Amino acid sequence: YYHLAAGNLLSRLGRPGEGINQLEVVINGGALSAMPLRFRARAFADCGEAWRLLGEAPLASRYLAKAEAIQRQNRFVAELADFTLASKAKLETDPAVARACLTEAMVIQTECSTPVSRARSILLDARISGPGGGGRQQREILSKLMENTPVLARDDTLRRILLNWGSWIGGGP
């Protein structure tokens, strides 16, 4: 499990190439078959995200598809929404398809009562949608979510995003 955690951390620290090296140890080194399915799916999702960060869309898609298949078959819906669908949305070049991934993710996140994850999806959806894509509605949903979720209400970064919403969604100051 060390390599799985290290791969995820390195990718999130802006070192996705090193992250992939760690994740490949898990995926190709025989450890994967001994892991519970949930962790196998996470290894594939994390590897897909790392390849996405490196701009390698075909490899990213391949790994994300493997993660998604395991997650859907085994109903690991929270991980599907938080990791795989979010990465697929960021990878997608068609905004409508990306938003469909995020819509599915947000439905799951609402059903699973994961407001922090839902807030991340709303923020990504707003970015992908751009200035003409319903930003006002997304901002209102996010504001209400913050009112009902103390951890979000205390988030200084989220408050700054809301104060600078036009810049966040790409419409300038």
Side-chain angles (χ1 to χ4, degrees), residues 41-72:
R42 182 63 189 268
F44 288 132
D46 287 349
C47 201
E49 175 63 8
W51 282 115
R52 184 196 69 79
L53 290 168
L54 290 174
E56 297 289 341
L59 283 169
S61 292
R62 189 178 94 216
Y63 282 106
L64 291 170
K66 288 180 180 187
E68 184 175 5
I70 294 169
Q71 290 161 337
R72 287 192 188 280

Side-chain angles (χ1 to χ4, degrees), residues 31-113:
L32 191 67
S33 61
M35 286 186 162
L37 285 172
R38 185 177 306 264
F39 290 102
R40 289 184 212 178
R42 182 63 189 268
F44 288 132
D46 287 349
C47 201
E49 175 63 8
W51 282 115
R52 184 196 69 79
L53 290 168
L54 290 174
E56 297 289 341
L59 283 169
S61 292
R62 189 178 94 216
Y63 282 106
L64 291 170
K66 288 180 180 187
E68 184 175 5
I70 294 169
Q71 290 161 337
R72 287 192 188 280
Q73 182 176 5
N74 294 281
R75 304 223 7 97
F76 300 148
V77 293
E79 292 91 345
L80 173 67
D82 293 354
F83 306 112
T84 307
L85 291 175
S87 290
K88 282 181 64 174
K90 289 183 260 186
L91 182 64
E92 185 55 57
T93 57
D94 181 345
V97 175
R99 292 194 71 203
C101 288
L102 291 170
T103 297
E104 181 182 1
M106 288 184 278
V107 168
I108 293 168
Q109 291 159 342
T110 300
E111 291 171 354
C112 291
S113 298

Side-chain angles (χ1 to χ4, degrees), residues 94-139:
D94 181 345
V97 175
R99 292 194 71 203
C101 288
L102 291 170
T103 297
E104 181 182 1
M106 288 184 278
V107 168
I108 293 168
Q109 291 159 342
T110 300
E111 291 171 354
C112 291
S113 298
T114 54
V116 174
S117 297
R118 185 166 174 235
R120 282 195 309 267
S121 293
I122 293 167
L123 289 168
L124 181 55
D125 185 47
R127 269 265 167 96
I128 290 170
S129 301
R136 175 175 284 162
Q137 181 183 9
Q138 294 154 331
R139 189 178 191 283

Side-chain angles (χ1 to χ4, degrees), residues 145-166:
L145 195 58
M146 287 177 70
E147 288 172 14
N148 297 317
T149 311
V151 69
L152 291 175
R154 292 189 305 269
D155 189 311
D156 290 334
T157 302
L158 190 52
R159 282 199 301 269
R160 278 194 304 276
I161 290 170
L162 287 174
L163 287 173
N164 299 290
W165 189 253

